[in-house]
């Protein structure tokens, strides 16, 4: 079958790989209908997640049709249209029973890597390096889905593919940041750093949960305009007196909830700390550029909540620990627990309350995968997300 493979730092190539097969009783094979680029993939391409191997198939946000199931699969059937959680979880370990699915004890086939890095291992993830299980990703014609009864969800007939596709990761991550990590509720003022797919979904989730006001903070003018047009949010450029603007929007207190949805390669920031972050990251002295996270901690109101959704790998210097402690902030982060959120999101999509398909600004054939990531990385031609179609356009 054809698949998009990582062939080196900032190098991708579409080529032939062996067809996936059922390896365990709880596996399913899914024929991929649509798979989409994600900002966290860029960390893989840039070599900031140092556990990729030549030929690894990337991609983790996808939708397709079940074409084969293992003998232990009970809830799924051949022919179903399903959206699949990007994180792989068994559904039966202690963490899964607490609905902390991305922390599953059995989803990651290579736990020693992240146990060494972080003290314990999270679950596995499709197409996201051998640190998270070494699973083949979704930018391919077919994917093996472990624990299919737990991680694959039938899509309601009334929900179109491009809408359901984002339940796999972006909408789930955004919902987690607002509903769980940020505990957004009626009357809250929410500030979201980043207007990519996850940031916009966090903003929309905050609106659905009753936030009084949502402001999206983004350096790219096109993305600010999309957030304003599609979501009706206030938008701010972080380079334009951000602190004063947030105080003015919040009666002088600052936002109740600040959501960081940028991650380890934050760009567009200016000033000496941002410049130092870039230099030390390129030199691998630190692994993260954290200007948006610093701003979120600094500008959040006293006693407020900060949620970290952007992907980070290891360590960062110059973190404002004093502000976090002395302002009495709650700081939470996680990879998304998709199995917990996807049914709710599909229901919201079916009712027309959540309509993320506007994020799919470009659709390309799988053979053009390298170009899809160029458009996405460079934000060329207004690219918010690029959808790959393994079956052709």
């Amino acid at each position: 079958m054809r698949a998009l493979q990582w062939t080196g730092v900032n190098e991708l190539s579409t080529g032939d790989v062996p067809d996936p097969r059922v390896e365990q009783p709880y596996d399913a094979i899914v024929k991929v209908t649509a798979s989409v680029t994600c900002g966290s993939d860029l960390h893989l391409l840039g070599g900031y997640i140092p556990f990729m191997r030549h030929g690894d198939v990337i991609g983790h946000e996808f939708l397709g049709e079940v074409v084969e199931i293992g003998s232990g699969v009970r809830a799924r059937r051949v022919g179903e249209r399903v959206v699949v959680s990007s994180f792989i979880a068994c559904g039966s370990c202690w963490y899964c029973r607490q609905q902390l699915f991305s922390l599953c004890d059995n989803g990651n086939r290579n736990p020693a890597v992240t146990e060494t890095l972080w003290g314990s291992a999270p679950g596995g993830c499709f197409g996201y390096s051998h640190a998270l299980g070494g699973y083949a990703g979704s930018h391919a014609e077919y994917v093996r889905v472990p624990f299919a009864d737990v991680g694959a969800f039938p899509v309601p007939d009334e929900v179109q593919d491009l809408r359901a596709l984002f339940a796999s990761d972006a909408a789930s991550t955004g919902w987690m940041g607002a509903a769980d990590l940020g505990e957004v509720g009626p009357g809250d003022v929410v500030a979201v750093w980043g207007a990519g797919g996850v940031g916009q979904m966090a903003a929309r989730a905050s609106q659905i949960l009753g936030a009084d006001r949502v402001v999206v903070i983004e350096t790219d003018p096109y993305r600010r305009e999309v957030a304003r047009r599609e979501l009706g949010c206030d938008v701010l450029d972080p380079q334009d007196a951000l602190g004063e603007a947030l105080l003015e929007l919040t009666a002088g207190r600052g936002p109740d909830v600040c959501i960081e949805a940028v991650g380890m390669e934050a760009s567009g920031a200016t000033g000496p700390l941002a410049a130092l972050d870039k230099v030390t990251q390129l030199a691998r002295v630190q692994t993260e550029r954290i200007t948006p996270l610093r701003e979120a901690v600094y500008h959040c109101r006293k006693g407020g909540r900060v949620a970290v959704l952007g992907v980070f790998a290891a360590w960062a210097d110059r973190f404002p620990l004093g502000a976090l402690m002395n302002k009495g902030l709650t700081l939470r982060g996680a990879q998304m627990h998709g199995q917990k959120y996807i049914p709710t999101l599909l229901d919201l999509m079916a009712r027309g309350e959540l309509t993320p398909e506007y994020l799919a600004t470009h659709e390309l054939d799988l053979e053009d995968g390298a170009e899809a990531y160029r458009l996405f990385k460079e934000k060329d031609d207004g690219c918010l997300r690029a959808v790959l179609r393994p079956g052709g356009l």
Side-chain angles (χ1 to χ4, degrees), residues 26-30 62 84-85 88 126 143-149 151-152:
Y26 305 108
D27 290 350
I29 304 300
V30 171
F62 67 106
V84 180
S85 173
I88 297 164
F126 291 99
V143 178
R144 181 176 78 91
V145 177
F147 308 112
D149 283 342

Side-chain angles (χ1 to χ4, degrees), residues 321-341:
L321 187 58
L324 177 73
M325 182 267 176
N326 288 288
K327 290 173 67 176
L329 302 181
T330 298
L331 175 67
R332 298 179 67 187
Q335 296 282 9
M336 66 93 190
H337 311 301
Q339 292 83 347
K340 178 179 180 180
Y341 308 118

